[in-house]
Amino acid sequence: LPISIANAKSLKTLHLANNELGGRIPTEIGNLKEISKLRLYGNNFQGTLPDQLAFCSSLESLELHDNRFIGTIPALLGSLSMLKNMTLNDNDFTGLVPVSLKNLNNIIQLSLQGNLLAGDIKSEICKIGISVFTVDCNIECDCCTDCASIDIILDEFIRIEDQFP
């Protein structure tokens, strides 16, 4: 993404999914105060997520799955109080799931599977009543609606493949 994206101050939706785009998300993304949907999934973005994403206070949907992001999930994302949908799955995030995500009172879907996360989902996060909450099966989570592991995915694929010889 070019730094000049920050000049589009009244931008509401940025949908650049599945375009083989790469590079990093610039810190200037935080200047997009009115953006409600940021859909950059299915690309080759890499590096860490900029903390400045937390300045996008109108965000309702943050879809960054299927990229190559690294580092920890920024705790500041927990300040995005309008967020309803956050898909960070299938990247290379490490560390713990930030407890600050407990502040996402409007969240409906939270997808974190397919990363290198560890630890437990803290009970504070479970109290917000997420409808769809998916993590990897190695993470202890009493409120997750589903867990994903490569074994489960492969078993499902083989089962479906057997139905179509």
Side-chain angles (χ1 to χ4, degrees), residues 48-151:
T48 58
L49 290 183
D51 286 338
Q52 289 80 356
L53 269 173
F55 300 145
C56 300
S57 56
S58 297
L59 261 181
E60 294 179 11
S61 186
L62 179 61
E63 300 173 45
L64 302 177
H65 57 279
D66 295 308
N67 278 288
R68 299 183 329 186
F69 292 113
I70 61 169
T72 58
I73 296 172
L76 289 173
L77 292 182
S79 68
L80 294 170
S81 61
M82 303 293 291
L83 206 58
K84 295 177 183 174
N85 179 36
M86 182 163 61
T87 58
L88 302 179
N89 52 290
D90 300 306
N91 282 288
D92 292 314
F93 290 113
T94 57
L96 303 174
V97 175
V99 177
S100 64
L101 298 185
K102 71 180 181 182
N103 299 321
L104 300 176
N105 293 321
N106 291 309
I107 197 84
I108 296 169
Q109 178 183 359
L110 179 58
S111 298
L112 302 176
Q113 75 274 11
N115 286 292
L116 305 170
L117 299 170
D120 302 345
I121 302 296
K122 302 301 179 202
S123 62
E124 293 91 353
I125 296 174
C126 293
K127 291 177 184 172
I128 60 176
I130 303 170
S131 297
V132 178
F133 190 4
T134 310
V135 296
D136 289 318
C137 294
N138 66 305
I139 295 179
E140 193 68 35
C141 179
D142 292 335
C143 62
C144 294
T145 56
D146 199 6
C147 76
S149 75
I150 192 63
D151 294 335

Side-chain angles (χ1 to χ4, degrees), residues 1 5 14-21 39-41 43 45:
L1 284 178
I5 193 72
L14 182 59
H15 187 121
L16 296 173
N18 300 314
N19 280 300
E20 298 183 23
L21 300 173
R39 296 178 172 148
L40 302 177
Y41 60 87
N43 284 296
F45 287 110

